[in-house]
Structures are given as C-alpha cells and as structure tokens.
C-alpha cells in the first residue's frame, strides 16, 4: 500500500503517490493542473468519493481515519441518491401530487416531478423552457409546509407577481421585503426579497432562520461574488438546507457562467473553478468556453443537479404555442445618424493593435457607439413595421436597448398608445405599463432587452414580439419571446427580427451562433438537432473591428468613385 489520502474541510488531499500511480490518478481526475506533482488537492463533490473508492480498489492507497469515515458515508449517500434519482426520472414513474395547492388550482405532472425531485435532493437548478411554470414547480415543493420558512429572491419588478402567485396557489403567509434597511419582521412562511435589497438583510438572516432558498431568474447571479447581490446570495446559501434556482436561460454569454450559477445551488459539484476550467473549458481570450456543452449538460442532469423540460417532453400536458420567426431587412436612414468615421476607424485599429488596456477600452467604446448608431439608423423603419402590426389589430412587444432609439420610436408612434418597461421606469411605472397592456389600454409595450425576464401575463393579449435592436446573447432574445410564448397563450407567436445591412447588426447575427451552441448543448444535451457552429477563435469585438475597417474602406472607395448605393427592403424570410 502506497500513498496517503486525507480529508479535511471539504477537500481531499492525496500525497506520496508513486510515479506510475500518480500518472493514473491525474488521468482519472483531470481537474489536476498539468505538470502538478503530489500532494494533490481536490474539492469534494457528490460523486468524488465514489470515484476515489473505485481508484483505491485498483491502486490501494492508505487513508486517514477522517478520509475513510467520510468516504464510506459519502459513497453510501451517493448510491442511494442515484437510485432515487433513477426512480424519479423514470418515464413510467408517476410523481406524487403536490399537497397544499389551493382549489381550483393544481400543479401539472411535470411540475409535481420537479417538486418531488427538489424535496428529495434539496438542490435543483430548474431549467424548464420559458412558459412551463417554474414558479408553480417551486411553490408545489413548499405548499404543504416542507422547507419553511423559505426565502425567495426575485428581480424587483417580479416581487408583486410572486406574491400574487403565492396567494393564488397556496395558503402560505408571505412577507414582501421592499426596503434595503433591515427592521424587525413578524414570523411568516415565505419572505420575498429583491436581488437589489438582499445585501442589506444579510445580518438579519439568523432571525428569519430560512430553511429553503428559491432564486428566481438565477442568471442574475452569473457574476458571482464580483457583484454585491452575489455576495449576499453567498450568505443566504450558507444558512439554508435547500436551494433551488429557476431560469430558462442560465447562460447569457459563455458556458463558464454555468459554474458560477451552479455553485449557488450545488456548491462543489463541479469542483473548484480551476478544476472546472481544466475539466470542461478552453480559454478564448478573456473568456472560458465549454469544450463539450452536451457532455456538461448530460453530466449535470445525470447528477440530479439540473432538470430541463421543453414543449417536446411528453409529460408536459399543454405544449407551448407554435413559434414563427420572421427575418426582415430594413433600410438604414442616414438622416438620424451622426457617424464619426474617424473615431470608428481609430477605435477599430486600437482593438486590433493596442495594448491590453487600450483594446478593452476601445472595445467597450466601439460596441456602445456602433450598436446605438445601428439602432438609431433603423429606428424609423422599425417604427413603421410596428405600426403596420398595430393597424392590423395586434398589440406588440417591441424590444430595444438604447434610450435614443426609444425616443425615436415613441416620437414616430406618438399617435398610438405606447408604454415603457425598461431600466429607467420605476417599479410603479412598470406595474402601470403591464396593467395598461393587459387592459387593452396600450398598443405597444417597449421592453428593454434585459429588463423583461419573468414578466407574466402578456401572453393573454400579445402574440407578436419585434426585435428593433439585437443583443449579443440569443438567450436574451429567448427571454423576450417568452413574455408572449408561454402557457396560457392560445395563438401562434411570431418573433420579428428587424436587421439592417450596416453597423453592428451583421456581426451580431453571425456571432450569436457561438453563444447559442454553448447554451443549447448544456440545456439540451440529448437533442440530436443541436445547432452546430464552427469554432470562433477571435473575440466578437475583434471581428466587429475588422468588419468596421472593411466597411469604412468600401465606403471610401464608393465615395471616391462616385457610385450611388441603392438599398431595397428584402422580402420576409420565414424560418
């Protein structure tokens, strides 16, 4: 018997391995950095003890008493949990009907299954597609009193919506925390916090004594401890026994964000961040990209960490409505745009040739400059397109990003009833905007591309979503579509992508493929129709910079030759 294995404070330490055993160990536990020599330190994970037990059956290694005790207990728990998981996820298994749901409401079979899985494991990242009722799944798990008191953390504009749902589906008492400054609270079953005020209440958590944490739209925590809300969430996670995160879009940009989100639900399940990078990712400049999204997605599901159902799942009793996508090219209007060609050229060149700091600053400036310029240039054409939908009798969700673009839209549509739901409006104004649309008192609701996640109710009256500006992330687009395409919608939903052949639109459309492949593989690891996209080695801004320089060079040649450019609107392409 050679070597020694110890366990202390959540980490395994493996030391004194002979050379040939050390090589085998590193091959199996690939999270160990290349070139490392014993002692090796590995973060504990649900399946790690099981793997260590298998390795020591092949290569006997001495263990400390603490390591042997922890290994035996962990392996036993892991085997039981895997057996239970296999039972719960068997297609023939009939999940228990959630208790505590008020008549006449009920939880659907797929929602009951999610609730039972969460109650069984105490941790779940619920990734059900937009519109399948993740809120009800979470409430079904606690409606009968299990896991109380519970703390629910939400985006500010969803707090009232969550309180309404709790009162509609359960008899639980609920307290909505609206202020950041802590004060004494009466006992309740459920406490609703906002991501924006949770940090002010960290020291009061022992008074509340929460047992369960529910993170709605958990992608809010994708930046982890770099943000104040991430640090506050860390404190909450440390106090509770059960953790569930709800989102259809955990990945907005790159797969590395999946590690951060998963840490709030199942700490240690993917090892340390360094182990995750070594095991699952490749480096691409300042980003870590998952090498095999399908493999990561299947691993997370097989470990019972994630659960994902789509409209194609046979257990989903009511499928989402059909989705039709319309791609429509609109004209570029030079009259609204003030283009600083020299500034664009300088920024693009700096991105390609400058120092690290210069490249970063130039990239941010060029991104803001070009995306706003593009939105402004096509704003009037977008407004005309939306007007045609309204005249035909439709209410419209209009997605954008820049205030200058909103101003053109509202001016061009001033004779229509337009309300706003963006980052500028107060929670009261957003609530009034939602009510106006639902009561047929507004024709168009302008929603910031990153402000509408979780917004419910629009499916009752709207079936058309227009993207007047594009985002780098396909998951942002999916979230906005989900405001209309969700359970309760009785019509086919159409997503209209309005793009122009200039500015940032062409590059954004091409770059969206990489990010889509990251999300699709992790969310849908067993799908055969995953989008296959060629690897992109360059960062999006280097690609954009090259496109800008090429466009400026073409414009210079055309100006020099005196050629006239005529742009015609393309026909709608339905996909």
């Amino acid at each position: 018997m050679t070597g020694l294995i110890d366990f202390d404070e959540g980490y395994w330490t493996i030391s004194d391995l002979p050379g040939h055993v050390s090589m085998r160990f590193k091959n199996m536990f690939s999270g160990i950095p290349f070139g490392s020599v014993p002692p090796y330190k590995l973060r504990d994970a649900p399946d790690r003890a099981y793997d260590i037990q298998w390795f020591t059956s092949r290569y006997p290694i001495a263990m400390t008493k603490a390591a042997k005790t922890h290994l035996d207990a962990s392996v036993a728990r892991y085997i039981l949990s895997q057996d239970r998981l296999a039972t719960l996820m068997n297609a023939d298994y009939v999940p228990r009907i959630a208790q505590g749901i008020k008549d006449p409401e009920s939880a659907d079979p797929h929602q009951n299954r999610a609730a039972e899985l969460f109650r069984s494991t105490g941790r779940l990242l619920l990734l059900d597609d937009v519109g399948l009722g993740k809120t009800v799944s979470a409430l079904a798990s606690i409606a009968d009193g299990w896991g109380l008191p519970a703390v629910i953390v939400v985006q500010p504009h969803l707090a009232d919506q969550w309180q309404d749902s709790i009162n509609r589906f359960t008899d639980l008492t609920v307290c909505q925390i609206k202020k950041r400054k802590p004060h004494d609270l009466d006992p309740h079953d459920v406490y609703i916090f906002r991501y924006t005020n949770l940090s002010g209440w960290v020291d009061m958590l022992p008074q509340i004594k929460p047992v369960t944490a529910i993170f709605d739209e958990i992608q809010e925590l994708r930046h982890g401890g770099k943000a104040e809300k991430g640090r506050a969430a860390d404190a909450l996670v440390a106090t509770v026994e059960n953790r569930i995160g709800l989102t259809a879009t955990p990945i907005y940009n790159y797969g590395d964000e999946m590690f951060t989100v998963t840490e709030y639900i199942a700490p240690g399940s993917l090892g340390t961040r360094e182990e995750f990078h070594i095991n699952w990712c490749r480096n691409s400049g300042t980003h870590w990209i998952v090498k095999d999204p399908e493999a990561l997605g299947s691993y997370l599901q097989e470990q019972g960490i994630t659960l994902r159902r789509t409209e194609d799942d046979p257990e989903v009793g009511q499928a989402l409505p059909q989705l039709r996508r319309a791609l429509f090219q609109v004209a570029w209007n030079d009259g609204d745009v003030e283009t600083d060609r020299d500034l664009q050229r300088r920024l693009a060149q700096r991105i390609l040739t400058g120092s690290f700091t210069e490249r970063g600053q130039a990239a941010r400036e060029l991104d803001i400059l070009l995306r706003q310029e593009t939105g402004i240039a096509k704003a009037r054409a977008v407004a005309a397109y939306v007007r045609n939908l309204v005249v035909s009798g439709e209410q419209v969700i209009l997605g954008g990003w820049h205030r200058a673009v909103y101003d053109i839209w509202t001016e061009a549509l001033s004779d229509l009833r337009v309300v706003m739901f963006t980052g500028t409006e107060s929670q009261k104004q957003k609530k009034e905007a939602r009510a106006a649309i639902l009561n047929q008192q507004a024709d168009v609701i302008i929603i910031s591309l990153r402000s509408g996640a979780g917004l419910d109710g629009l499916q009752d009256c709207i079936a058309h979503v227009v993207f007047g500006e594009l985002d780098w992330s396909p998951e942002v687009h999916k979230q906005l579509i989900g405001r209309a395409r969700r359970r309760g919608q009785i019509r086919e939903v159409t997503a209209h992508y309005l793009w122009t052949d200039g500015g940032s639109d062409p590059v954004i459309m091409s770059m969206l493929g990489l990010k889509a492949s990251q999300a699709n593989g992790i969310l849908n690891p067993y799908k055969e129709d995953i989008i296959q996209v060629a690897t992109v080695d360059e960062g999006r801004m280097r690609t954009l910079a090259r496109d800008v320089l090429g466009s400026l060079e073409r414009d210079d040649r055309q100006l020099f030759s005196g050629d006239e450019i005529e742009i015609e609107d393309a026909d709608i392409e339905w996909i």
Side-chain angles (χ1 to χ4, degrees):
M1 185 176 295
T2 58
L4 180 66
I5 297 178
D6 191 17
F7 181 83
D8 184 47
E9 296 184 352
Y11 284 85
W12 297 92
T13 302
I14 299 88
S15 57
D16 300 327
L17 294 181
H20 70 288
V21 178
S22 180
M23 290 177 61
R24 294 287 188 179
F25 193 86
K26 286 193 290 186
N27 286 338
M28 181 169 179
F29 298 91
S30 54
I32 300 171
F34 177 77
S36 296
V37 296
Y40 303 129
K41 193 170 185 177
L42 298 173
R43 188 174 182 181
D44 193 25
D47 59 340
R48 181 133 290 171
Y50 189 80
D51 289 339
I52 289 176
Q53 184 190 63
W54 179 90
F55 189 87
T56 55
S57 70
R58 179 82 178 273
Y59 302 97
I61 304 174
M63 289 190 188
T64 64
K65 183 178 179 180
K68 186 67 169 65
T69 300
H70 183 77
L71 183 135
D72 291 343
S74 294
V75 168
R77 286 196 304 271
Y78 181 71
I79 292 174
L80 286 174
S81 68
Q82 289 300 104
D83 288 344
R84 177 61 176 160
L85 178 62
T87 298
L88 291 176
M89 297 312 298
N90 190 307
D92 296 329
Y93 176 76
V94 179
R96 61 181 290 276
I97 298 175
Q99 302 299 306
I101 300 292
K102 288 197 307 188
D103 290 333
E105 305 296 343
S106 63
D108 291 336
H110 73 281
Q111 295 167 331
N112 285 326
R113 188 182 296 267
E116 189 169 357
L117 177 60
F118 175 46
R119 289 166 66 118
S120 176
T121 63
R123 59 176 195 178
L124 183 64
L125 188 54
L126 184 57
L127 306 176
D128 283 352
D129 214 346
V130 175
L132 295 188
K134 292 181 287 297
T135 298
V136 176
S137 294
L139 294 180
S141 68
I142 63 173
D144 65 351
W146 177 88
L148 299 180
V151 166
I152 304 176
V153 188
V154 305
Q155 294 173 328
H157 66 279
L158 299 178
D160 288 342
Q161 185 173 293
W162 263 93
Q163 184 165 352
D164 291 343
S165 294
I166 294 169
N167 292 332
R168 172 185 170 187
F169 285 92
T170 78
D171 289 315
L172 302 176
T173 60
V174 57
C175 175
Q176 184 183 155
I177 313 300
K178 298 182 178 181
K179 297 181 180 179
R180 183 183 177 90
K181 185 177 180 180
H183 53 81
D184 290 336
L185 298 172
D186 293 330
H188 287 84
D189 297 321
V190 180
Y191 300 85
I192 300 175
F193 287 89
R194 295 161 165 81
Y195 283 104
T196 53
N197 69 9
L198 180 62
S199 62
W201 287 81
V202 166
D203 293 334
M204 296 288 288
L205 291 176
Q207 175 184 317
I208 298 173
K209 298 180 180 179
V211 178
T212 299
I214 300 173
F215 294 102
D216 187 36
E217 302 298 339
I218 195 173
Q219 72 274 4
E220 284 287 319
L221 300 177
R222 65 190 182 277
H223 298 304
K226 296 177 182 177
E228 185 179 51
K229 56 188 172 185
R231 295 189 292 274
D234 283 330
L236 174 58
V237 165
T239 66
V240 300
E241 298 176 14
N242 314 303
R243 301 168 296 276
I244 183 171
L246 313 177
T247 180
T249 54
I251 303 171
Y252 270 61
N253 291 299
Y254 296 94
D256 185 33
E257 295 173 356
M258 195 67 185
F259 174 85
T260 303
V261 170
T262 303
E263 276 290 282
Y264 287 104
I265 301 304
S269 58
L270 292 173
T272 64
R273 185 175 293 274
E274 183 181 28
E275 290 170 353
F276 175 75
H277 287 165
I278 294 171
N279 287 335
W280 297 104
C281 301
R282 65 175 176 82
N283 184 261
S284 178
T286 59
H287 303 290
W288 288 94
I289 296 177
V290 174
K291 294 177 291 190
D292 191 341
E294 291 83 357
L296 176 57
S298 61
Y299 173 79
L300 291 170
Q301 292 195 27
E302 289 166 4
Q303 297 301 314
I305 297 169
T306 63
L307 178 62
R308 161 79 168 174
R309 279 79 58 85
T310 70
E311 60 186 283
D312 300 321
D313 192 297
E315 193 174 55
V316 177
Q318 180 181 355
L320 292 173
Q322 286 287 103
L323 174 65
R324 177 177 292 185
R325 294 183 177 89
L327 304 181
F328 191 78
Q329 182 179 348
V330 296
W332 177 287
N333 182 357
D334 283 317
D336 287 322
V337 180
E338 295 181 4
T339 302
D340 190 331
R341 295 162 58 85
D342 289 336
L343 176 59
Q344 289 184 12
R345 182 179 284 107
R346 289 197 304 272
L347 291 174
Q349 290 172 340
R350 195 175 302 159
I351 291 171
L352 297 175
T353 63
S355 66
F356 177 81
T357 302
E358 290 173 338
R359 292 198 305 269
Q361 181 177 352
R364 289 189 293 272
E365 292 181 20
L366 186 61
D367 186 25
I368 294 171
L369 183 68
L370 275 185
R371 288 179 65 192
Q372 176 166 296
E373 177 184 293
T374 304
I376 291 173
K378 63 180 181 179
R380 295 191 186 279
V382 168
Y385 190 99
V386 170
R387 177 182 296 279
N388 287 336
L389 289 173
V390 173
V391 169
S392 69
E394 297 290 348
Q395 290 178 289
V396 177
I397 296 172
L398 175 56
W401 185 246
H402 293 96
R403 179 59 51 181
V405 177
Y406 301 158
D407 291 343
I408 296 176
W409 288 346
T410 53
E411 184 270 328
L413 300 173
S414 59
D415 57 317
L416 302 180
R417 299 172 298 177
V418 179
V419 293
M420 307 284 289
F421 197 104
T422 71
T424 302
E425 289 72 42
S426 66
Q427 298 308 313
K428 180 176 182 293
Q429 290 171 320
K430 289 180 178 179
K431 187 175 181 179
E432 292 172 347
R434 176 177 178 269
I437 281 286
L438 296 182
N439 296 328
Q440 308 291 312
Q441 296 171 344
D443 304 306
V444 179
I445 180 168
I446 296 175
I447 300 182
S448 171
L449 288 173
R450 295 179 182 249
S451 291
L455 179 61
D456 195 17
L458 302 188
Q459 71 271 20
D460 296 336
C461 55
I462 298 179
H464 290 269
V465 181
V466 175
F467 291 98
E469 292 189 88
L470 301 179
D471 194 279
W472 289 105
S473 172
E475 303 308 322
V476 170
H477 297 157
K478 188 173 184 178
Q479 279 279 11
L480 191 63
I481 294 171
R483 300 313 109 218
R485 188 178 184 243
R486 58 200 300 115
R487 297 182 74 240
Q489 175 65 262
I490 61 174
R491 295 190 290 163
E492 178 182 77
V493 173
T494 303
H496 307 257
Y497 295 83
L498 307 189
W499 66 283
T500 187
D501 190 16
S504 59
D505 272 6
V507 179
I508 289 179
M509 291 176 69
S510 64
M511 290 298 293
L512 286 174
L514 173 64
K515 296 180 182 179
S517 69
Q518 290 281 290
N520 280 329
I522 294 172
L523 294 176
N524 307 299
Y526 305 111
K527 292 286 186 179
E528 296 181 356
D529 58 348
I530 297 297
I531 298 174
Q532 298 297 326
V533 182
T535 300
V536 178
D537 293 325
E538 298 173 334
R540 70 188 189 196
M541 293 311 300
R542 289 180 65 83
T543 303
L544 183 59
R546 288 199 170 106
D547 186 81
V548 166
L549 292 176
S551 177
L552 291 173
E553 184 177 347
R554 289 191 297 273
D555 289 348
D556 289 342
R557 287 200 301 266
Q558 289 164 347
L559 288 171
F560 180 76
S561 63
D563 293 341
E564 294 183 358
I565 305 172
E566 182 176 345
I567 300 177
E568 297 181 355
D569 288 352
D571 293 332
I572 294 179
E573 178 185 355
W574 301 99
I575 60 173

